Amino acid sequence: MGQIVTMLVSVIGALAVTAVLFVGADRTATAALNRWPAFAASIGGVVGLIVGAVLQHNDWVPRGPALGGPFDEGWLAIVIAGVIGAALGNGAGRGVVPALDRRIRLEARLRPWVFVGPGLLFVTGGLVIPGFRTLWLSFKSGTRGQEPGFTIQYYEEIFTDRTFFSVEGWSSIFTSRLFIVGLAAATVAAVAAWASASRIVGGPLRVHLAGRAMRLLGTVAVLLGGAALVGFFESIIREPNRSAIVDALTVLVSSRITLVVVVGVAAVLLVVWLLARMSGGDIEMDWGSPASSTLFVLAIGMAIFAALSTLQGVVWNNIWWVVTVAGLSTVLGLLLAILAERAQGERVAKTLIFMPMAISMVGAAVIWDFMYEVQPTGNQTGLLNAILQGLGFEARGFFINSSMIPWNNFWIMFIMVWIQTGFAMVVLSAAIRAVPEELTEAARVDGANEIQVFWRVIVPQIRPTIIVVVTTLMVIVTKVFDLVKATTGGANRTNVLANEMFDQLRDRNFTSSSAFAVVLLALVLPVMIYNIRRLQSELK
């Protein structure tokens, strides 16, 4: 109860201070026009308070008696300096009064600052000044930054210590299953882009070849998907939970022969495209088609996952978080926004999907910790392991099982995806509703099916909103801390920058903690700059 009262008092106090600043600034701007001595007294009082604070902070004046409460030792000097400044300003204002036209121009210039001034004051005091102090402290020597001299020791530790950043084993990226699948998806995406463009602008022969290519790709996709599905059911029925089909698919993907074939096909396609460009011609590619764009995004995702699951360190974990959570939340939010638009209980569905946003990060971590819970023996109490046990699989520790490292990170990321998908869905749903119906109806009249309407009409119209959602999630996810601290505490290669920053701060190592904070800022800063430039370009 005491904590709730303290929180309420803090909120009310902050609102009161904001109201006083706003009203005081408004009255000061009005006094510049009608009551010049009062305006001069206000300016003098503010200057006096600042001068008094500087004098008191540097011990250049006696602190005065300790009055207790808010007027502790030193406050009296600040108050006296403010009173003296107000008196001097009032005297100067009575002695010299500017002409009316000058006061009108001054009042017009001051009026906008009435609205932005308090905000800038709080941002400067709560963000800008602490930010510069953190940057300064990150280059100081010693754990508290009190030793003389400057150093880049802490940044060197972040990017040379294997715990934080390592590129060892980078060559394994190009032989991993994910990279092979991604390269194969990129190759198929190129074929699909050519086939789609050929159907639109090609001659009869190209249209025929494009149709044959698309049918062949569709048949291969159905066969692979069907084999994976059958293999899943085989793994449920057979003992000891092994599938010959899944094993065969795994060997096929992991084989060096597969890698050589995929690289060879990709190289041939690249050479053909380069030769066409060098000969002055061009090969039409429709990267905006549903098949080509989806496969290309899948290829990029597989390549990124191959890199981030191979490279070790806290910095790579943070980047993995950003890519996975921002990407999956946006994709799932977009799919749910489309599906919810067609559902009868749209409001109920959107409310249920958005509801996790009302849960704190720690609360969500506790909920999913019970979902992932594993018992060494007997019946499983965690929902996911109970399902696995019911299907005949062995229960596993999603966070602590060494065989799941580094993919145990994904199970923590999924908690944030569960939370942020509702946010993406609501924002994208509003953008979809803002798309003019005339565009979608015209596309249907021209013969486009629902997938083509969505991909070629709706998605281009809501692209700015998608960018806003992605960049917002990137900033949020970069600072992730609560979920990691409440689930694994950073163990089993799940640590992130914000958690490491907290651990260093807990150990009273302020300089090292400041260096981690600066690295976090460096990761967020490009996204913020991009958003600002995009907003400025839209306003022009």
Side-chain angles (χ1 to χ4, degrees):
M1 186 64 183
Q3 293 179 347
I4 296 177
V5 172
T6 302
M7 181 188 69
L8 291 175
V9 170
S10 301
V11 171
I12 293 173
L15 293 175
V17 171
T18 304
V20 169
L21 288 174
F22 180 79
V23 173
D26 181 68
R27 295 292 179 86
T28 300
T30 303
L33 181 62
N34 301 322
R35 301 170 58 193
W36 181 257
F39 170 78
S42 300
I43 299 299
V46 171
V47 173
L49 290 174
I50 295 174
V51 171
V54 172
L55 295 176
Q56 183 270 335
H57 178 73
N58 292 279
D59 292 328
W60 291 342
V61 295
R63 290 181 172 269
L67 303 180
F71 293 100
D72 203 351
E73 186 176 3
W75 279 92
L76 186 60
I78 300 176
V79 173
I80 293 174
V83 172
I84 294 174
L88 294 175
N90 183 69
R94 291 180 181 276
V96 180
V97 179
L100 180 60
D101 58 339
R102 294 185 60 185
R103 282 181 285 156
I104 291 175
R105 289 196 299 269
L106 179 61
E107 192 268 344
R109 291 178 180 177
L110 290 176
R111 183 63 61 185
W113 291 97
V114 172
F115 299 96
V116 301
L120 289 176
L121 180 63
F122 282 117
V123 170
T124 302
L127 182 62
V128 176
I129 294 176
F132 280 111
R133 176 171 173 77
T134 300
L135 179 62
W136 170 272
L137 195 60
S138 67
F139 289 102
K140 292 292 291 180
S141 302
T143 58
R144 294 177 176 269
Q146 296 177 346
E147 296 182 8
F150 295 90
T151 180
I152 59 171
Q153 168 191 352
Y154 305 107
Y155 294 102
E156 290 179 346
E157 290 179 357
I158 292 175
F159 292 103
T160 57
D161 192 327
R162 292 184 56 189
T163 305
F164 305 133
F165 185 86
S166 174
V167 292
E168 293 182 7
W170 63 270
S171 58
S172 301
I173 297 172
F174 304 104
T175 57
S176 66
R177 302 172 191 171
L178 289 173
F179 181 80
I180 296 174
V181 172
L183 186 59
T187 305
V188 176
V191 176
W194 171 83
S196 178
S198 298
R199 286 180 170 182
I200 298 173
V201 299
L205 179 60
R206 286 183 60 184
V207 171
H208 176 71
L209 292 176
R212 293 287 297 272
M214 292 302 292
R215 284 192 292 272
L216 177 61
L217 294 178
T219 301
V220 173
V222 170
L223 291 176
L224 290 176
L229 185 62
V230 172
F232 172 75
F233 285 108
E234 182 190 3
S235 66
I236 295 177
I237 297 172
R238 287 185 57 190
E239 291 291 342
N241 298 324
R242 294 185 62 84
S243 167
I245 296 176
V246 174
D247 292 343
L249 291 175
T250 303
V251 172
L252 176 65
V253 173
S254 306
S255 173
R256 290 187 177 274
I257 298 176
T258 304
L259 177 60
V260 172
V261 171
V262 172
V263 171
V265 173
V268 169
L269 294 178
L270 181 61
V271 169
V272 171
W273 180 77
L274 290 175
L275 290 176
R277 293 295 299 270
M278 292 173 63
S279 62
D282 195 4
I283 300 178
E284 294 85 359
M285 305 290 283
D286 182 17
W287 293 105
S289 66
S292 60
S293 54
T294 302
L295 287 169
F296 189 69
V297 171
L298 176 64
I300 294 176
M302 292 296 100
I304 292 175
F305 284 162
L308 296 178
S309 61
T310 302
L311 301 174
Q312 300 181 21
V314 176
V315 177
W316 294 117
N317 274 357
N318 247 84
I319 299 174
W320 194 1
W321 268 85
V322 171
V323 173
T324 303
V325 176
L328 286 182
S329 298
T330 304
V331 171
L332 293 177
L334 183 57
L335 292 176
L336 291 172
I338 292 293
L339 296 175
E341 290 292 327
R342 302 179 180 275
Q344 292 182 350
E346 174 191 350
R347 294 184 179 179
V348 176
K350 287 184 177 180
T351 301
L352 293 176
I353 296 170
F354 187 76
M355 193 174 293
M357 283 289 295
I359 304 175
S360 68
M361 292 289 183
V362 176
V366 172
I367 292 171
W368 280 90
D369 201 18
F370 284 114
M371 299 274 283
Y372 292 140
E373 188 175 5
V374 58
Q375 299 293 335
T377 57
N379 293 330
Q380 297 296 322
T381 56
L383 177 62
L384 296 182
N385 276 313
I387 293 174
L388 289 176
Q389 189 179 59
L391 294 175
F393 292 97
E394 295 181 359
R396 61 194 63 193
F398 289 90
F399 296 151
I400 61 177
N401 193 334
S402 60
S403 63
M404 299 194 71
I405 296 174
W407 293 100
N408 53 345
N409 284 279
F410 178 79
W411 300 109
I412 310 176
M413 298 175 196
F414 184 78
I415 304 174
M416 181 166 271
V417 173
W418 177 67
I419 295 172
Q420 298 297 337
T421 297
F423 160 74
M425 178 200 65
V426 170
V427 176
L428 294 173
S429 179
I432 291 171
R433 288 194 170 187
V435 176
E437 293 185 4
E438 294 83 0
L439 295 177
T440 57
E441 291 299 328
R444 293 188 180 97
V445 170
D446 290 339
N449 56 36
E450 292 300 320
I451 296 179
Q452 291 172 330
V453 170
F454 169 73
W455 213 262
R456 296 187 182 274
V457 178
I458 296 178
V459 171
Q461 290 291 318
I462 65 173
R463 185 178 290 116
T465 306
I466 295 176
I467 294 175
V468 170
V469 171
V470 171
T471 52
T472 302
L473 290 176
M474 289 175 67
V475 173
I476 293 173
V477 177
T478 302
K479 303 177 294 183
V480 65
F481 162 74
D482 318 61
L483 292 178
V484 175
K485 177 59 70 176
T487 51
T488 63
N492 301 317
R493 287 174 55 183
T494 60
N495 206 4
V496 289
L497 286 170
N499 187 64
E500 185 64 32
M501 178 185 70
F502 173 83
D503 289 343
Q504 296 290 334
L505 190 64
R506 179 197 58 197
D507 296 338
R508 315 295 289 179
N509 193 344
F510 300 132
T511 47
S512 178
S513 179
S514 298
F516 280 100
V518 172
V519 172
L520 271 176
L521 177 62
L523 291 176
V524 173
L525 201 57
V527 181
M528 297 172 61
I529 293 174
Y530 171 77
N531 269 341
I532 293 172
R533 288 187 174 180
R534 185 182 55 81
L535 180 61
Q536 289 176 341
S537 64
E538 290 179 357
L539 293 176
K540 292 181 180 179

